[in-house]
Amino acid sequence: MDVLGVLNLGEIAQYFSKMAMFPVFDLAYYIVSILYLKYEPGSVEVSRRSPVASWLCAMLYCFGSYILADIMLGDSPIDYFHNNSHILLATAVWYLIFFCPLNLFYKCVAFLPVKLVLVAMKEVVRTRKIAAGVHHAHHAYHHGWFIMVITGYVKGSGVALMSNFEQLLRGVWRPESNEILNMSFPTKASLYGAILFTLQEAHWLPMSKSTLICLFTLFMATSKVVMTARHSHGSPFALVESWVCHLLFGSSSALRTPMTIIILPLPLPPLPLPLLPKPRRS
């Protein structure tokens, strides 16, 4: 207790949870989001052929979670676009990443040490969005725990959930890439984080919101930085998920191995010879 008192961890968590995200952390969020958009196949060609479509895709990457959450809660899907400073900042990032001379801005932000810092800052914003989504849903539906979870989940991973619609804007249709079918680490982490923040909002988790924000941000930033540095697309939850799925839903390997039924042809009975008419005796 003396060590905790000296470190003032509660005050640090309180200060961290109230720290403003605009413009520094939001700028990092927009840079990483639009950087991932440029990684998509054909996105550069779309930006040259149709800059309007490319800009709309960039806005979905930056604000898709707000749009989807507003639709779910019955608000206007364009409500967030009244924040002119955010829209202009995201537009400036989009223009610099796609149209900067000699690709200088893209090369700077894609440089691995710089990218790792930006990725960590993006996870700070993601955690705040999850907590804000759960808090917003709690005010609208005081006992709607599932609504709180879904809203926080959408706020944290709405960009990935709208990926199929974003692909249509780029003229691509890949239904097999649905994020619900193939959940990435940020999508899974957003779901688990939404559950934790819902438990905290319902006073079932003996922890303050500021402490939970601080700890979950630390977990998300560390995991994402390590995965980005190793160029890994795995998930820290893979081992636990495989054990839980095997316990609750049976072996997944059995589901992936289809049962093969071999049908052997049965021997057919010999056909009877046609009866020839007996020759008449003359």
Side-chain angles (χ1 to χ4, degrees):
M1 294 297 295
D2 294 336
V3 176
L4 296 178
V6 171
L7 293 178
N8 291 327
L9 294 182
E11 295 182 4
I12 295 175
Q14 190 74 17
Y15 172 77
F16 180 78
S17 64
K18 293 183 178 180
M19 189 168 51
M21 295 290 101
F22 185 83
V24 179
F25 288 91
D26 285 327
L27 176 62
Y29 185 90
Y30 301 151
I31 290 175
V32 176
S33 299
I34 300 176
L35 196 62
Y36 288 154
L37 172 62
K38 191 167 184 177
Y39 291 159
E40 290 293 325
S43 61
V44 177
E45 290 78 5
V46 171
S47 66
R48 301 300 187 271
R49 186 174 65 251
S50 178
V52 174
S54 177
W55 180 82
L56 287 174
C57 293
M59 295 304 104
L60 284 181
Y61 263 73
C62 294
F63 310 113
S65 57
Y66 297 101
I67 296 172
L68 192 56
D70 287 340
I71 293 174
M72 290 177 52
L73 295 176
D75 298 327
S76 173
I78 62 172
D79 184 63
Y80 193 79
F81 282 83
H82 78 277
N83 296 315
N84 298 324
S85 55
H86 288 266
I87 302 300
L88 291 176
L89 183 61
T91 301
V93 171
W94 163 77
Y95 185 84
L96 290 174
I97 287 181
F98 280 95
F99 302 102
C100 182
L102 302 178
N103 250 355
L104 290 179
F105 187 79
Y106 168 77
K107 292 176 182 177
C108 291
V109 297
F111 182 53
L112 186 58
V114 177
K115 185 179 177 181
L116 294 180
V117 176
L118 296 175
V119 164
M121 296 173 69
K122 179 182 178 180
E123 297 310 312
V124 176
V125 180
R126 188 195 304 274
T127 304
R128 295 293 188 86
K129 290 167 66 176
I130 296 172
V134 172
H135 183 72
H136 186 191
H138 175 70
H139 277 277
Y141 305 92
H142 296 288
H143 301 289
W145 299 321
F146 289 101
I147 299 178
M148 297 180 202
V149 172
I150 294 173
T151 307
Y153 170 56
V154 167
K155 276 290 187 73
S157 60
V159 178
L161 296 175
M162 295 183 68
S163 60
N164 290 111
F165 179 71
E166 182 271 330
Q167 290 169 5
L168 288 177
L169 292 178
R170 291 189 287 113
V172 181
W173 174 242
R174 295 199 304 266
E176 71 279 358
S177 64
N178 191 324
E179 191 67 21
I180 300 297
L181 297 176
N182 304 291
M183 296 178 69
S184 60
F185 165 71
T187 306
K188 293 179 181 179
S190 299
L191 177 59
Y192 300 148
I195 294 174
L196 290 176
F197 281 103
T198 300
L199 293 176
Q200 193 280 329
E201 199 73 43
H203 304 288
W204 288 358
L205 191 64
M207 184 183 298
S208 65
K209 181 180 290 187
S210 58
T211 304
L212 181 58
I213 288 176
C214 188
L215 294 178
F216 193 76
T217 301
L218 183 62
F219 166 75
M220 289 292 296
T222 304
S223 302
K224 195 63 177 165
V225 166
V226 171
M227 293 171 62
T228 304
R230 299 176 59 184
H231 301 284
S232 172
H233 297 284
S235 172
F237 308 121
L239 183 61
V240 177
E241 287 175 348
S242 62
W243 182 80
V244 172
C245 291
H246 177 76
L247 180 65
L248 298 179
F249 307 110
S251 176
S252 58
S253 60
L255 298 177
R256 290 195 299 264
T257 306
M259 182 180 295
T260 304
I261 301 176
I262 302 176
I263 301 178
L264 299 176
L266 297 176
L268 297 177
L271 296 176
L273 296 176
L275 296 179
L276 298 177
K278 295 182 179 180
R280 293 181 180 181
R281 294 181 181 179
S282 56

